[in-house]
Structure formats: C-alpha cells, structure tokens
Amino acid sequence: MSIKDKLMYKKKSSYEIYTGEMTEKIQNYASEYSAFLNKSKTERETVAASVELLEKNGFSAYKLGDRVKAGDKLYYSNRGKSLFAFTVGSESLENGIRICAAHIDSPRLDLKQIPLFEDSGLGYLKTHYYGGIKKYQWTAIPLALHGVVALKSGETVNIVIGEEDTDPVFCITDLLPHLGKAQMEKPMAKAITGEGLNILIGSTPLEGEEQDAVKINMMRILNDKYGIVEEDFLSAELTAVPADKARDLGLDRSLILGYGHDDRCCSYPALTALIENNSEHTVICVLADKEEIGSEGNTGMKSSLLLDLIDELSVSLGADPIVVRANSRCLSADVSAGYDPLYAEVYDRSNCAMLNGGVVMMKYTGHAGKASSNDASAEYIASLRGAFDNSGVHWQTAELGKVDEGGGGTVAMYIADINIDTIDLGVPVLSMHAPLEVIAKNDLYSAHLAFLAFCK
Ligand code: MN
Ligand code: MN
C-alpha cells in the first residue's frame, strides 16, 4: 500500500461499491420507494401508507399505557399526523434504544381558512405557504389538492383531487413575459408574493346567480362530491402540492425526480430498516410532522411524545427511563444539500455531499457559527464510523454549504436535548424544497443500509 493510500482519506463513488446483483436490488428498492412517495404527499397520507406497510409486516397498533414485551412489533399513530413505530428487543432497555427520526411534512401551499373567492369570472383559492419555498417555483405547474375537512359531526372527509389521469388539476398563473418587464427586474424573492399565490380552480358561473356566480358554482361542485359547505373550510387542512408522480430521471435511470424527497427519502429507509431489523436492542422509528416550520406543536419533534413513549416502555419493561435515555442513540434522518455544479459558488467542494457519494452524515447543521445545531460528539461519530464500515455502508460527511452562506436545521437538537446522542444522517438532494426534488437511487439505498447497520 502506498503512503498516500495508507494515510489519505478519499471519498468514493457508489459505482466503485455497488456492482453486479446489487444494482438490480437498488433499482427495485427505488421503485418501491417511488410508489410509496406517490401515495404520501402529506404527513397524513405518509402515516397511512406507513401503517399499511407496517401492518403488512406484522406490526400492530399500540396505545399509550399498553404493556409490551420482547419481540413485539408495534406502532403508535399520533393524531394520524406523526408516527412512532418500534420493535422491542431482547436486550435490557437500559442498554439503550436505537432511534431513527425522520420527518414526513414537506413544503407546500396550505389553503387559508376562508380560501374561496372570485375575480373577473375566475374562481380561486387563497393559500398561506408552509415551509421554506421559492415562491416563483410554484407558478405555472399543475397542482393537486390534498387534505381533510373535519366536520362538526365528528366525521372527517378526505380530499384528493388531481392525482388520477382523469382528474382535473389546478394552477397558479404567472405573468406573460411580454408584460413582465417590471416583474423580471424585481429580486426573485419579490417577483411573486405570498399573498399572490392564489390557485385558479374554475371559470363556470352558476346559472341564475348574479353575484359571485363562479365562486358559488365551485362550492356547489365540492358540495356535490364531498358534501361540504363553505363554512367547513374553517376546520379543514387542505393543501396544494405538485400533481406530478415521481419519475426516474436520466438516460441511465440513476436518479429520481419527485415531490417530497425531503424527507420521505429518509422516512422510507428508516421504516424499511425497522421492518428488516432483528436487533437485540429496542428500535424506534419516528416519523415527525412540522419539521419544516420548526418542529412545533403536538405532532412535531418538540412535543414530549418521544419522552412519554420512552417512559411508557421503561415502565412496562422495568427500566429506569433516565438510564435508558442516557444509553440511547439516534440518527436524525434528514436530507442534505447535494453538491450542484450549476451553483458551485455556495458549496465548499471538499466538505459537501456528492450525489452517488453515499448517505451523508452531518456533524452539525445550523447557521452562522453552528447556531441552532446539536454538533454531535467526536466519540459518537467514531462509533458510527465503526458500525458503518463493518457493515459495508457507503457514507460521506458534509456541511450544507459554505460557512455563512445560509443554513438550516433538523429535528436533531430536540432529541439531543433529552440526553440522547444524536447526529444527522440522510440522502443528498438537488433542488431541495422545489416542487420537484432530485435524489440518486444509490444514496437512497445507502440510507437503508445505514439505518439497518445502526439498529444492530
Ligand atoms: Mn428535511
Ligand atoms: Mn426541508
């Protein structure tokens, strides 16, 4: 071995590692992921698709207060919007739990509470965007409407319009370039405003009505199909998302273009690793809501529910929850920015995540001098290096971008706050937070293998 090979660190490409039969395995895994992505465009839909997958694999519903025993495979759906799935190991709980925590909400356009209006013979829905978006990207693309309307009767109506080939879709119009001179001179952040993100939903007036005839007709169509009236929007969670399905990208089909990779491309591998694991340790897969708006609320990672669940498992298995947490470890399973040569100026080329460079570990996220980051310990990273390298996991390390270029956060710090060693690990993404994001299939599969190795 040369001195160079002996001493120097070299990042590898997945193509040096995944060959032969593995290539087919990765393609199959990616197709299953794309199918999962297509039925999981909101956090509620992701919980439903995850529960379906878990039940197919022998998991059953758990209620807080239930007794558990080694060998149990359970899941707890929190208000249908976040999910805690777990396998109870034979090892003492006081030796620690392995936790993979991903999030299942994605940037989108939520409807306002009184969304419906009409202007100049056109019907619209008003929106309030959710999460960090570049607003101009959401105009002139087909949008689908997803969500629920909760009725006073206690019944909840599910709505999905725009996903079937025969469904209509919706759209936010943009200004024609011919008249867009002033608009195009504005900074990108100002060219399209949040208040201006109104969705076009129709143009036919209700016969016989003189005022608001289009608006009334739109409500009539919704009433015919879903039995709802305008006041029911007050207790609804309806959201506009890209109507597209996930597609293979590239002549070689090595990439996937789709909505919501952040963070379903980590949620899905966290789930499949939980399902496949046969660890002696207890393993929890957390699929959290509200990460994109700061992990707030009782379905977000700042909620005490993970603590409560660990307390409940400890009571049931005769363990001290403080000891359990002190010995537990977590992967905060979230995406990172993939290096994009078209925007090379924002990345540090030697500390960024490459597509096909494997699952990416981030010691810290945050912004401006690591603020709002848990900055994982060197010792914890060392133990993961060992675990990953022993299991042949293809992985890399990265920062989001250049120092002081910007930044971002994940759920990691909320889990680290309860005395659990935590680090970010996930899939590199191009066009993150755009209506359609890009990932590499090799990295997706590397995430599955990493979570599996971590559970051991
Ligand atoms: Mn994320
Ligand atoms: Mn995000």
Side-chain angles (χ1 to χ4, degrees), residues 64 76 78-79 81-84 286-291 294-310 325 411 413-415 417-418:
L64 291 170
Y76 178 73
N78 173 23
R79 299 165 169 89
K81 296 169 73 170
S82 71
L83 189 72
F84 296 74
V286 186
L287 301 182
D289 181 26
K290 298 285 179 279
E291 193 277 342
S295 297
E296 313 290 347
N298 58 11
T299 58
M301 206 66 235
K302 281 186 193 167
S303 129
S304 70
L305 201 42
L306 178 61
L307 261 181
D308 293 347
L309 181 62
I310 293 173
R325 283 191 274 125
V411 301
M413 60 180 170
Y414 310 115
I415 298 166
D417 278 352
I418 58 172

Side-chain angles (χ1 to χ4, degrees), residues 103 105 262-263 291-292 333-335 409-410 432-433:
H103 70 91
D105 59 319
D262 176 10
D263 184 30
E291 193 277 342
E292 296 295 356
D334 207 345
V335 299
T410 65
M432 196 197 294
H433 284 205

Side-chain angles (χ1 to χ4, degrees), residues 120-182:
S120 313
L122 299 174
Y124 292 96
L125 292 169
K126 286 175 183 255
T127 68
H128 193 139
Y129 65 95
Y130 174 97
I133 62 165
K134 291 163 101 175
K135 298 175 190 98
Y136 69 87
Q137 294 177 334
W138 292 75
T139 63
I141 59 168
L143 297 171
L145 201 60
H146 286 238
V148 297
V149 181
L151 303 177
K152 280 199 282 188
S153 66
E155 191 197 337
T156 300
V157 181
N158 274 305
I159 294 185
V160 180
I161 310 171
E163 296 296 346
E164 298 299 328
D165 289 343
T166 51
D167 275 359
V169 293
F170 312 100
C171 183
I172 297 167
T173 53
D174 197 358
L175 192 55
L176 62 167
H178 316 65
L179 299 177
K181 193 164 174 287

